Amino acid sequence: MRLSSALAAVTLAVSATANSGCQTLKNALPGSVYAPNTSVYKYESQEFWSNTEILSPGCVFRPKSGEQLAKGVKKLVDAWAQFAVRGGGHMGIKGANNINDGVLIVMSNLTTLHLSEDESLLSVGPAYRWSDVYKYLEPHGLAVPGGRIGPVGVPGLLLAGGVNFYGNEVGWAADSVVNYEIVLADGLLTNVNKTHLPDLFWALKGGSSNFGIVTRFDVETIKSPKIWGGTYTVEAKYLDQFLEAAATFSADISDPKTHVVPAVVPGKTTMASVILFYDSDMISYPDVFKPFTDIPAVSNTLAFKTVREFADETAAMVIPHINDIFVAGTVTGTNRTELLQGISIINSTFFAELPKLYAKVPAANLTTIQLDWQPIGSLWMEASAKRGGNALGLDPKKVYLCYAEVVEWTGSKYDDAVMEWVEQTTNKINDATEKAGLYDPFNYMGDAAGFQEIFPGYGPANHQELQSIAQKYDPYGVFQTLMPGGFKVF
């Protein structure tokens, strides 16, 4: 039976049995399933970064091991009961990692965290956030390519591809994963790597939660006792020079130790701010950053620090338990002129639409509005290719400027107004960049909104290959149908 036929055949059955999973798991795995009147349920059902993610699951399943999770998945599939999976709980999309009425599987007890004997590999469970990982590695003078903000969860970032501080040295975070321990749709707990199930190994590098539930990641470490980095902020009067600096850096990323995140923050006083990262415990203010650091700063946190300290610093920008949305997009170019044009179009279109947002949502309720860019060039993609590549499908001949629109607000009554505004603004940005010949369909999953498509942006061949692999390992569409959250390959 082909997957499309299977999905059509079982859709009605899913809706009829959406609530059956809790009782099934309670009978099979007593002590790991928690009803709404328990303290564990009350804690776990609220343990999300954004209020957008909070729903009302029928119960919480907190497996104690990968083996117990595998047994639970088998029981849920046999009952054809719906479920959601929450790792770090940092994707602010309603229903992405939570569910109404069904089973919420939380990974809180899957707490593997240890180094191999030679310290070349870190084994890490999906319970953790990156602040935990960096704290563990700090005494060893090590890091891994992970989240740039401490509260971000380990599994979501690694399965999305993973933008990280060390991208120009090692590629996407997923490129440094050498083994996944995973529960498949039939309840099998197995290891996946370049020699065992190599097609699935490739698919997990950017394919998200379409193939199973990962219970452990084995990740290559990086010797990085301290780095030089911080946030460098300039006044709005320097905005044109700041955007030119972003284009200049992005057009010729020649030093693998670098990482930058330029951002513009509108408000009563618009500011431009860039995260600068340099993987060295000896070199400060490298010449490669001069396009930014030659601009006079009103705030500057640049200093030598550990990755843990830097991730904690950036974490201070995160407001927990607030309403939020991220929207992703991409422009491409081959030179500074094209990249500056792309940056300028995105920036001017975004600012031109802001009065419409302020007309719908009081300024006092808008806690954060931000537009940022992430350049990905040849060094990044060459490093990725050396580690075997991934499913994301980027062209090494181009420079990609991925951008993110961010809006955070208080007051759920404004949810629809914000969602409508960001979708309309994104469409206008995409129309403008496409007209200029700079648009690219790639949307980085880690910054994407629920209305956006992900896998078509990986290219037709990679998208089709991901669909084939999903059908091979999950022929009845368990992770397409029973787990409704997340971005789907079908």
Side-chain angles (χ1 to χ4, degrees), residues 284-364:
S284 63
Y285 289 94
D287 288 346
V288 69
F289 290 153
K290 283 179 69 64
F292 293 107
T293 56
D294 280 349
I295 306 171
V298 293
S299 175
N300 177 359
T301 69
L302 294 167
F304 289 108
K305 57 195 76 171
T306 65
V307 174
R308 191 269 305 168
E309 289 169 335
F310 197 12
D312 287 349
E313 178 184 321
T314 58
M317 297 183 286
V318 175
I319 304 172
H321 300 295
I322 200 165
N323 306 294
D324 95 296
I325 185 168
F326 279 61
V327 188
T330 303
V331 292
T332 59
T334 58
N335 56 58
R336 179 185 178 280
T337 299
E338 291 176 349
L339 295 171
L340 179 57
Q341 183 185 9
I343 291 172
S344 299
I345 289 172
I346 295 164
N347 188 72
S348 61
T349 306
F350 187 77
F351 271 80
E353 293 301 304
L354 276 177
K356 297 177 184 177
L357 179 62
Y358 293 132
K360 295 179 177 181
V361 184

Side-chain angles (χ1 to χ4, degrees), residues 414-489:
Y414 299 114
D415 290 2
D416 291 343
V418 174
M419 297 296 181
E420 181 182 356
W421 181 83
V422 294
E423 187 164 358
Q424 291 176 350
T425 299
T426 302
N427 289 338
K428 290 191 175 185
I429 291 173
N430 290 342
D431 288 346
T433 58
E434 189 164 18
K435 185 176 180 180
L438 303 170
Y439 169 81
D440 192 274
F442 178 76
N443 293 319
Y444 172 55
M445 189 187 307
D447 290 333
F451 66 82
Q452 296 190 280
E453 291 188 322
I454 299 300
F455 299 107
Y458 289 10
N462 281 17
H463 189 190
Q464 184 175 1
E465 183 66 14
L466 287 169
Q467 291 176 328
S468 298
I469 294 168
Q471 187 166 335
K472 175 180 176 180
Y473 292 98
D474 184 12
Y476 294 100
V478 168
F479 295 105
Q480 306 299 310
T481 302
L482 291 188
M483 190 181 77
F487 294 103
K488 304 302 182 185
V489 296

Side-chain angles (χ1 to χ4, degrees), residues 120-408:
S120 65
L121 287 179
L122 175 73
S123 295
V124 56
Y128 292 105
R129 293 174 178 154
W130 290 105
S131 54
D132 304 311
V133 173
Y134 299 143
K135 183 178 180 181
Y136 174 79
L137 292 173
E138 186 177 66
H140 302 273
L142 297 173
V144 287
R148 299 167 299 178
I149 299 175
V152 169
V154 166
L157 181 126
L158 290 177
L159 292 170
V163 172
N164 67 93
F165 286 131
Y166 299 92
N168 288 317
E169 294 183 81
V170 300
W172 300 88
D175 295 324
S176 289
V177 179
V178 299
N179 183 76
Y180 303 84
E181 183 186 77
I182 187 172
V183 176
L184 300 179
D186 60 1
L188 175 67
L189 179 68
T190 189
N191 285 288
V192 176
N193 49 58
K194 67 180 180 180
T195 58
H196 184 246
L197 311 181
D199 55 348
L200 182 55
F201 182 62
W202 173 85
L204 289 169
K205 295 177 182 291
S208 191
S209 56
N210 286 277
F211 311 95
I213 304 174
V214 177
T215 56
R216 192 191 75 238
F217 302 85
D218 298 330
V219 187
E220 292 177 318
T221 60
I222 299 167
K223 193 68 176 176
S224 186
K226 280 196 173 184
I227 60 88
W228 181 83
T231 303
Y232 193 86
T233 303
V234 306
E235 295 177 273
K237 66 181 180 180
Y238 297 110
L239 180 57
D240 288 346
Q241 187 178 346
F242 181 88
L243 297 181
E244 289 171 3
T248 298
F249 176 88
S250 302
D252 183 22
I253 305 173
S254 57
D255 189 333
K257 295 182 181 295
T258 58
H259 185 84
V260 306
V261 189
V264 178
V265 184
K268 289 182 180 179
T269 303
T270 296
M271 308 294 280
S273 186
V274 60
I275 292 173
L276 299 176
F277 174 96
Y278 198 75
D279 184 20
S280 172
D281 59 359
M282 298 178 63
I283 298 172
S284 63
Y285 289 94
D287 288 346
V288 69
F289 290 153
K290 283 179 69 64
F292 293 107
T293 56
D294 280 349
I295 306 171
V298 293
S299 175
N300 177 359
T301 69
L302 294 167
F304 289 108
K305 57 195 76 171
T306 65
V307 174
R308 191 269 305 168
E309 289 169 335
F310 197 12
D312 287 349
E313 178 184 321
T314 58
M317 297 183 286
V318 175
I319 304 172
H321 300 295
I322 200 165
N323 306 294
D324 95 296
I325 185 168
F326 279 61
V327 188
T330 303
V331 292
T332 59
T334 58
N335 56 58
R336 179 185 178 280
T337 299
E338 291 176 349
L339 295 171
L340 179 57
Q341 183 185 9
I343 291 172
S344 299
I345 289 172
I346 295 164
N347 188 72
S348 61
T349 306
F350 187 77
F351 271 80
E353 293 301 304
L354 276 177
K356 297 177 184 177
L357 179 62
Y358 293 132
K360 295 179 177 181
V361 184
N365 291 86
L366 292 166
T367 58
T368 301
I369 302 174
Q370 184 170 309
L371 181 64
D372 60 53
W373 292 270
Q374 178 58 66
I376 296 173
S378 60
L379 284 181
W380 190 300
M381 286 182 273
E382 287 167 6
S384 174
K386 288 178 182 177
R387 286 161 176 78
N390 53 58
L392 278 70
L394 299 190
D395 183 349
K397 299 182 184 69
K398 298 179 180 178
V399 175
Y400 291 78
L401 265 176
C402 302
Y403 66 89
E405 306 161 61
V406 184
V407 181
E408 296 179 348

